[in-house]
Amino acid sequence: MTLKFGLANILNENTGNVSGNVSTTMFGVYIVTIKDIAKACGVGVSTVSRVLNNKPDVSEAVREKVLEFVEKSGYIPNNSARDLVKSSSDAIGVIVRGMGNLFFSSILKTVSTEIDKSDYTMVLHFIDSGEDEVKAGAVLEREKKLRGLIFLGGRYDYSPEELSIIGVPYVCCSYSNSFGTLDEKSYSSVTIDDYLTAYNAVKHLINLGHRRIAALVPACCDRSVSQLRFNGYKAALKDSGIEFDESLVMETGGIYGLNEAYEGTKALIERDAAFTALFTASDSTAIAAMKALEEKGRRVPDDCSVIAIDGLNISHYVSPTLTTMVQPADEMGRECVKILLDILEGWGENRHVRLETALREGGSVKSI
Amino acid sequence: MTLKFGLANILNENTGNVSGNVSTTMFGVYIVTIKDIAKACGVGVSTVSRVLNNKPDVSEAVREKVLEFVEKSGYIPNNSARDLVKSSSDAIGVIVRGMGNLFFSSILKTVSTEIDKSDYTMVLHFIDSGEDEVKAGAVLEREKKLRGLIFLGGRYDYSPEELSIIGVPYVCCSYSNSFGTLDEKSYSSVTIDDYLTAYNAVKHLINLGHRRIAALVPACCDRSVSQLRFNGYKAALKDSGIEFDESLVMETGGIYGLNEAYEGTKALIERDAAFTALFTASDSTAIAAMKALEEKGRRVPDDCSVIAIDGLNISHYVSPTLTTMVQPADEMGRECVKILLDILEGWGENRHVRLETALREGGSVKSI
């Protein structure tokens, strides 16, 4: 029986707002105390306490009576006393690197909700895309006495020495350590296969007849997600016998900025490269790229197809609807919290989860 | 002198990773202890502690020497000891109502960053748009022993009785109590003037020659932001001698959903109402509405102008660029935290801040 959030009533032992009898008030919120429950059920306060704390030595009839009343009244247990005797903190740190990334908003909500469901508390900290999430995590760990950490976004090239300043279990959410030297057993990660997802996106374009395919990525060699996706792009070209053409690649800088993508696409067009399709590393940069294409007189998809990776909700509603590889954001958030809780509770060890992506066809890609 | 986040080094007294001399390691992160500082400066540990805690009885020369070394080494003070002697919690609760609202993402980052800069800790809780933020706040207040609350989104019609379950100071962020009965002195709020902003948006359309102006809003009479903006729409029509036409109004339901806006706009067009412009209550619903207009063969802005309220970054990059009334999201977040901290520190009392909005002209509106 869960008696936590979403119930109608609030127990309030301290404010003095105690109703002797439980009754609907004019504003629809009850105040119920453990004494009210005891009185209403005709038992002692300690008996109610035993029932609420799932202790033995209470008759089944009394237990049922109390629980039934509690359910009806919507009593919410006060955890303060329990908190006070806890010897260690219940804090899980979440470091969000780059809130401009719309993909992170949806994951963050899931991560927060899942931590709420547990007995832990989320301590959130935002940093900019260029900042060091590991140092931010180490500081947060000390300041808030964290039990564990979730990094929402980060570098792909950690060394064991760098990560030695993190003294609690941690999960890399939406990224892994592809370019680093961490022992797999020393950390956890939940990601998509960035390389394969980019490969499949570009393959989709090739299957529709495209051979002059441009790439708009933050960086080709940043030892991070962008490099993995760029490598997937190159591999797809190679496997189809299409020669790699450097003039079709535009690097926009590290932070998936909308304006950088918009300006980058314009610059790509001004190079006079005759591309028929554009692969972009994220949905939001694809939206900015489509804007630049349109302003330069290239209709999407008639003059140029555009494909991306993310699957944001807003991408359904831009014109044309964006064709994109969907990352399972909710599942990603849930898995991260699950792994961390398993470790903290001693139920599991570090592990690495790769989630599948799926093509969502919109109107931004056509065959030629 | 601030020595908190963003510095290069981590003090770590507990892990044993202590370097006797401060030196660059192969991975670019130093571990510096208070003992290291004392040794390097040729003073005792207690002297260093006095300097770091701004205590008197240290000679100016020693103080300068220690601070200079500290600045160079990037020592980060360990607040754990201070935390342990604190008698009350340092938690500020932030309840986000409807994370689907992209406008909230940017405010949330600012709120988080501003709370980080203070000595308080943010405890974040997400609820869905339909949930009760007051009850969620009351539960969070008890569970996390909050010192204060920021509600990011909420109802506009609180009664004093309803809010009596909140026992700490709170700030309504992005909304006020226009339809409620709260004493102004009992709470704080930071909002735009929703009525006036909608009024100005519709006036802009009227000034460009539009008279058949449709409205796409979650609800006309929800005693909330939507009703205020709808009232602003109606007032602008009235002041310009344009008769209100119910058939030009589409209510999409309470949560500013993209799909609801998309379907609502389609239904509006199917009614065969000959509108030349559309006023929408938010940027994201405007984007969905433009999609529906386009799919129904109505070009924006040639066949129909579209104006909204929010000023999201992504709205710059949709086609056509959305014309919208910009809410100052950063300023809103900063003001909320400032008000709450002022109250918690005894520097100020409850107050109400109304922020200005500004028209950002895009390409979705034209004169007729």
Side-chain angles (χ1 to χ4, degrees):
Chain A
M1 187 171 185
T2 300
L3 291 166
K4 215 170 168 188
F5 282 81
L7 294 171
N9 310 338
I10 309 288
L11 167 75
N12 205 324
E13 295 171 320
N14 307 319
T15 61
N17 287 326
V18 176
S19 60
N21 297 306
V22 178
S23 61
T24 310
T25 70
M26 56 174 288
F27 51 99
V29 175
Y30 310 157
I31 309 292
V32 186
T33 73
I34 199 164
K35 283 183 197 164
D36 291 326
I37 301 172
K39 195 175 168 192
C41 297
V43 299
V45 165
S46 63
T47 303
V48 176
S49 174
R50 295 191 75 76
V51 173
L52 294 177
N53 290 299
N54 256 326
K55 294 278 170 63
D57 297 330
V58 181
S59 77
E60 209 41 51
V62 168
R63 186 180 300 275
E64 266 180 31
K65 191 174 179 183
V66 169
L67 288 179
E68 194 190 341
F69 179 84
V70 160
E71 189 156 39
K72 266 196 288 182
S73 72
Y75 162 84
I76 298 168
N78 181 359
N79 292 326
S80 305
R82 197 188 62 196
D83 287 352
L84 286 175
V85 298
K86 270 190 190 167
S87 60
S88 66
S89 127
D90 63 354
I92 291 177
V94 178
I95 309 271
V96 182
R97 189 176 186 241
M99 191 59 181
N101 187 335
L102 295 180
F103 179 63
F104 286 169
S105 301
S106 50
I107 298 185
L108 178 59
K109 193 197 159 182
T110 306
V111 165
S112 168
T113 304
E114 294 298 310
I115 293 177
D116 266 355
K117 285 187 201 161
S118 75
D119 280 338
Y120 292 87
T121 298
M122 179 173 83
V123 177
L124 182 67
H125 183 66
F126 291 99
I127 59 173
D128 287 331
S129 302
E131 285 183 63
D132 186 330
E133 69 279 1
V134 178
K135 282 177 199 156
V139 172
L140 201 67
E141 180 191 330
R142 296 179 59 76
E143 292 210 335
K144 306 297 180 189
K145 306 181 210 67
L146 301 182
R147 298 283 309 280
L149 265 165
I150 294 173
F151 292 107
L152 188 40
R155 282 167 42 223
Y156 280 61
D157 59 352
Y158 295 150
S159 69
E161 292 76 18
E162 279 177 300
L163 269 290
S164 68
I165 59 172
I166 302 292
V168 293
Y170 62 94
V171 184
C172 300
C173 181
S174 83
Y175 70 109
S176 66
N177 195 45
S178 312
F179 299 102
T181 53
L182 293 185
D183 179 350
E184 288 243 318
K185 289 181 188 154
S186 71
Y187 76 110
S188 294
S189 69
V190 181
T191 64
I192 60 166
D193 186 327
D194 289 293
Y195 173 89
L196 183 65
T197 300
Y199 183 95
N200 288 339
V202 175
K203 262 288 187 191
H204 180 67
L205 297 172
I206 294 169
N207 291 341
L208 292 172
H210 295 278
R211 296 186 69 82
R212 299 279 301 167
I213 301 170
L216 183 79
V217 293
C220 298
C221 301
D222 64 350
R223 296 162 63 85
S224 187
V225 57
S226 178
Q227 181 170 347
L228 281 178
R229 293 182 183 177
F230 175 71
N231 287 350
Y233 157 82
K234 268 175 81 171
L237 296 179
K238 193 178 175 196
D239 285 359
S240 303
I242 301 170
E243 204 176 333
F244 172 67
D245 179 352
E246 212 175 320
S247 76
L248 292 177
V249 176
M250 177 56 68
E251 294 180 277
T252 59
I255 63 157
Y256 293 83
L258 294 180
N259 196 50
E260 289 78 2
Y262 171 78
E263 295 294 345
T265 305
K266 282 198 163 175
L268 197 58
I269 296 165
E270 281 156 13
R271 269 186 203 165
D272 222 13
F275 55 93
T276 64
L278 176 66
F279 162 72
T280 65
S282 78
D283 272 21
S284 54
T285 54
I287 291 169
M290 291 203 293
K291 179 81 174 171
L293 284 163
E294 180 221 71
E295 288 188 5
K296 285 285 186 181
R298 298 217 190 175
R299 288 163 305 158
V300 179
D302 292 338
D303 303 328
C304 182
S305 290
V306 175
I307 198 165
I309 297 175
D310 270 346
L312 301 180
N313 192 23
I314 194 87
S315 306
H316 274 298
Y317 298 97
V318 293
S319 289
T321 306
L322 187 63
T323 295
T324 184
M325 306 295 292
V326 181
Q327 301 199 56
D330 284 348
E331 199 181 345
M332 199 172 274
R334 274 198 306 273
E335 277 294 331
C336 286
V337 177
K338 189 173 184 319
I339 290 174
L340 190 56
L341 294 181
D342 280 355
I343 295 171
L344 294 179
E345 300 294 331
W347 300 327
E349 305 200 329
N350 276 312
R351 61 183 195 270
H352 301 274
V353 175
R354 294 290 161 278
L355 299 175
E356 301 280 315
T357 52
L359 176 69
R360 186 171 82 197
E361 293 196 62
S364 67
V365 170
K366 67 177 275 190
S367 62
I368 58 169
Chain B
M1 185 168 188
T2 299
L3 292 166
K4 214 169 168 189
F5 282 81
L7 294 170
N9 310 337
I10 307 289
L11 167 75
N12 204 326
E13 295 172 316
N14 307 317
T15 62
N17 288 326
V18 175
S19 60
N21 296 306
V22 178
S23 62
T24 309
T25 69
M26 57 174 288
F27 51 97
V29 174
Y30 310 155
I31 308 292
V32 186
T33 73
I34 198 164
K35 282 182 198 164
D36 291 327
I37 300 172
K39 196 173 166 191
C41 297
V43 299
V45 166
S46 62
T47 303
V48 176
S49 174
R50 296 191 75 75
V51 173
L52 294 177
N53 289 297
N54 256 325
K55 294 280 173 61
D57 296 330
V58 181
S59 78
E60 208 41 52
V62 168
R63 187 180 299 275
E64 264 179 33
K65 190 174 182 186
V66 169
L67 287 179
E68 193 190 343
F69 179 84
V70 159
E71 188 156 41
K72 266 197 286 183
S73 72
Y75 162 82
I76 297 168
N78 180 0
N79 293 326
S80 304
R82 196 189 61 195
D83 287 351
L84 285 174
V85 298
K86 269 191 190 167
S87 59
S88 66
S89 129
D90 63 354
I92 291 177
V94 177
I95 308 272
V96 182
R97 189 177 185 240
M99 190 60 180
N101 187 335
L102 296 179
F103 178 63
F104 286 169
S105 301
S106 50
I107 299 185
L108 178 59
K109 193 195 159 183
T110 306
V111 166
S112 169
T113 304
E114 293 298 311
I115 294 177
D116 266 355
K117 283 187 204 162
S118 76
D119 279 338
Y120 293 87
T121 298
M122 179 174 81
V123 177
L124 182 67
H125 183 65
F126 291 99
I127 60 172
D128 287 330
S129 302
E131 285 182 64
D132 186 331
E133 69 280 2
V134 178
K135 282 178 199 156
V139 171
L140 201 66
E141 180 192 330
R142 297 179 59 74
E143 292 210 337
K144 307 298 180 190
K145 305 182 207 70
L146 302 181
R147 299 282 309 280
L149 265 166
I150 293 173
F151 292 106
L152 187 40
R155 281 167 42 221
Y156 281 60
D157 59 351
Y158 295 151
S159 68
E161 292 76 18
E162 281 176 299
L163 269 290
S164 67
I165 60 173
I166 303 292
V168 293
Y170 62 94
V171 184
C172 300
C173 180
S174 84
Y175 71 109
S176 66
N177 195 44
S178 313
F179 299 101
T181 53
L182 292 185
D183 179 351
E184 288 243 319
K185 289 183 187 153
S186 70
Y187 76 109
S188 293
S189 69
V190 181
T191 64
I192 60 166
D193 186 326
D194 289 292
Y195 173 90
L196 183 64
T197 300
Y199 183 95
N200 288 339
V202 175
K203 263 287 186 191
H204 180 66
L205 297 173
I206 294 169
N207 291 341
L208 292 172
H210 295 277
R211 296 187 68 82
R212 298 279 300 167
I213 301 169
L216 184 79
V217 293
C220 299
C221 301
D222 64 350
R223 295 162 62 85
S224 187
V225 56
S226 179
Q227 180 170 346
L228 281 178
R229 293 182 184 176
F230 175 72
N231 287 350
Y233 156 83
K234 268 174 81 170
L237 296 180
K238 193 179 174 194
D239 285 359
S240 303
I242 301 170
E243 203 177 333
F244 172 66
D245 179 351
E246 212 175 318
S247 75
L248 292 177
V249 176
M250 176 57 67
E251 294 179 277
T252 59
I255 63 159
Y256 293 82
L258 295 180
N259 196 51
E260 289 77 2
Y262 171 78
E263 295 294 344
T265 306
K266 282 197 163 176
L268 197 57
I269 296 165
E270 281 156 13
R271 268 185 202 166
D272 222 14
F275 54 93
T276 64
L278 176 66
F279 161 72
T280 65
S282 79
D283 273 20
S284 54
T285 54
I287 291 169
M290 291 204 292
K291 179 81 172 169
L293 284 162
E294 180 220 72
E295 287 187 7
K296 286 286 187 181
R298 298 217 190 173
R299 289 165 303 159
V300 179
D302 292 338
D303 302 328
C304 182
S305 290
V306 175
I307 197 163
I309 297 174
D310 270 345
L312 301 180
N313 193 23
I314 194 86
S315 306
H316 273 299
Y317 298 98
V318 293
S319 290
T321 305
L322 187 63
T323 295
T324 183
M325 305 296 292
V326 181
Q327 302 198 55
D330 283 348
E331 198 181 345
M332 200 172 272
R334 273 197 307 273
E335 277 294 331
C336 286
V337 176
K338 187 171 185 319
I339 290 174
L340 191 55
L341 294 181
D342 280 355
I343 295 170
L344 294 180
E345 300 294 330
W347 299 327
E349 305 201 330
N350 276 313
R351 61 183 194 267
H352 301 273
V353 175
R354 293 290 161 276
L355 300 174
E356 300 281 315
T357 52
L359 176 69
R360 187 171 82 198
E361 292 196 62
S364 66
V365 170
K366 67 177 274 191
S367 62
I368 59 170

